[in-house]
Amino acid sequence: MTRLRPWLPLIGIGVFAIVLLGVAPAVLSMHWINNLGKYCCYAIVAVGIGLAWGRGGMLVMGQGVFFGLGAYAMAMHLSLETAGPDKIPTFMILYDPLAPLPAFWEPFRNGAFTLVVIVVAPIVVASILGFALFKRRVKGAYFAILTQALAVALATLVSSTIRETGGDTGLSGFKYFFGYVLDDDRNKLMLFFIAAGILVACLLVVWQLNRSRFGELLLATRDAEERVRFLGYDPANIKLTAFVIAAVMASIGGAMFVPIVGIITPQEIGASASILMIAGVALGGRASLFGPALGAMAIGWGQSSLASSWPGGWVYLLGLLFVVVTLFLPKGLASVVDRIRGIVPRGGAEKGVAS
């Protein structure tokens, strides 16, 4: 058992992958497969938050910014693909039929360019933001407030640019995904497999990072930043790396969210959306490997299921659950297993006492 313990998370990822990629498609209807794909997008974001917050101690309350970068990049490409060659999206025609396509939209006709932007844009933005904050040793509540303010600013900007981004109504009406018809159930299943596969890959990346030298330095930076600096390492660079990785995961999650859900609006990238992402990570357990992903999927299920049957009260139920977990399980639901292990006596210990 001792030899297997370091590999238990990897075994858990394997079991999770089998359930997600093998069992779920076999037993769930297409409606729930599509919903599960959406939950996987939230979980991808949450895995990155778990690395930055749970492992690095950075309360990243503005992940809606990076989620929005990936989502709107993908939505722009799908809108242009749906419109057809040399044509503009329908919502632009409604506002001004004679207006040309904005210059910054034109490159998104190319699928390869769009994929590059989904990865590179969050790296650039997170690097600039992180360098400015970490080099000045901004942390704690100030860091959380600044990152959340950026999410509010981006949502406000998108809402006010109706002609360029669709404003509050967002971008929707997509028919194709890189040549695949989105209304086809086989293609919907393909999108689910892509999102689920990316989620499993993100778990593998975080597992490897946690057990690497970088993971040890990130944990040490969270608990004793000055000691890390005394040993000759720059905590700002360590935090920046984790912050950028989390940003890329959020952008990829946003990019997959668009073809699966079929719409992106400012409400999905603002402060409330960012808080829901944090709430899912806290619920599942920010310091664990699977906790953030499972917590985010649970929050996503509550948002889509309970909101339809109890639209006025599910938010209060979520708030109550969040308060209870924070008070009695500050490490999230993932800590329940550890508490049970502490309560249940071990067989070896009992034999030692008896002898």
Side-chain angles (χ1 to χ4, degrees):
M1 182 63 182
T2 304
R3 293 179 180 179
L4 287 176
R5 186 169 298 172
W7 299 98
L8 284 179
L10 186 59
I11 296 173
I13 293 174
V15 174
F16 181 72
I18 292 173
V19 172
L20 199 59
L21 296 170
V23 177
V27 300
L28 296 179
S29 65
M30 187 53 62
H31 169 75
W32 282 107
I33 283 293
N34 200 60
N35 279 343
L36 187 57
K38 179 175 70 172
Y39 307 155
C40 286
C41 296
Y42 293 141
I44 293 169
V45 183
V47 171
I49 295 176
L51 177 67
W53 183 28
R55 192 80 178 182
M58 296 170 284
L59 183 53
V60 284
M61 297 192 68
Q63 291 304 90
V65 172
F66 307 111
F67 187 87
L69 288 176
Y72 272 92
M74 179 63 75
M76 290 163 68
H77 172 72
L78 297 187
S79 296
L80 292 171
E81 188 177 16
T82 300
D86 301 324
K87 295 183 179 180
I88 65 175
T90 304
F91 80 91
M92 291 185 181
I93 298 176
L94 295 176
Y95 290 113
D96 188 354
L98 300 179
L101 183 72
F104 71 92
W105 270 72
E106 192 63 42
F108 287 93
R109 292 189 185 277
N110 185 282
F113 175 84
T114 303
L115 295 178
V116 170
V117 169
I118 290 170
V119 176
V120 173
I123 292 177
V124 174
V125 174
S127 297
I128 295 173
L129 176 62
F131 185 85
L133 295 179
F134 298 137
K135 288 297 182 180
R136 289 170 174 78
R137 303 187 185 182
V138 177
K139 54 185 177 180
Y142 298 102
F143 177 81
I145 292 171
L146 285 171
T147 54
Q148 190 175 48
L150 286 176
V152 175
L154 179 62
T156 303
L157 176 64
V158 173
S159 297
S160 62
T161 53
I162 301 175
R163 172 67 175 77
E164 292 79 12
T165 64
D168 289 331
T169 58
L171 300 177
S172 60
F174 315 119
K175 295 182 179 179
Y176 305 103
F177 175 77
F178 291 87
Y180 293 92
V181 180
L182 287 173
D183 284 339
D184 193 326
D185 285 347
R186 292 174 298 179
N187 296 334
K188 291 181 179 179
L189 186 61
M190 175 193 69
L191 287 172
F192 165 74
F193 279 127
I194 294 174
I198 292 173
L199 174 56
V200 172
C202 289
L203 288 171
L204 286 170
V205 168
V206 172
W207 171 74
Q208 181 60 38
L209 288 174
N210 286 345
R211 63 195 296 264
S212 68
R213 181 64 173 172
F214 169 77
E216 295 176 355
L217 287 172
L218 184 61
L219 187 62
T221 300
R222 182 195 69 184
D223 297 334
E225 184 172 327
E226 292 303 323
R227 292 187 179 183
V228 173
R229 185 176 287 107
F230 178 76
L231 292 174
Y233 297 97
D234 189 351
N237 294 335
I238 299 170
K239 289 182 177 182
L240 179 61
T241 302
F243 185 57
V244 169
I245 293 173
V248 172
M249 290 185 181
S251 180
I252 294 174
M256 290 306 305
F257 177 88
V258 170
I260 290 175
V261 178
I263 186 173
I264 184 65
T265 66
Q267 287 73 30
E268 298 290 346
I269 66 175
S272 58
S274 298
I275 291 173
L276 281 179
M277 296 173 189
I278 288 290
V281 175
L283 176 65
R286 65 180 186 271
S288 65
L289 179 62
F290 291 99
L294 296 178
M297 295 175 83
I299 293 296
W301 174 82
Q303 186 179 16
S304 59
S305 299
L306 297 181
S308 59
S309 58
W310 194 22
W314 85 272
V315 176
Y316 298 103
L317 178 62
L318 173 63
L320 177 61
L321 180 62
F322 184 70
V323 170
V324 170
V325 170
T326 302
L327 289 176
F328 298 101
L329 293 170
K331 295 183 179 180
L333 296 178
S335 63
V336 173
V337 177
D338 295 331
R339 291 197 174 194
I340 293 175
R341 288 176 180 174
I343 295 173
V344 178
R346 296 182 179 179
E350 290 181 343
K351 290 179 182 180
V353 172
S355 59

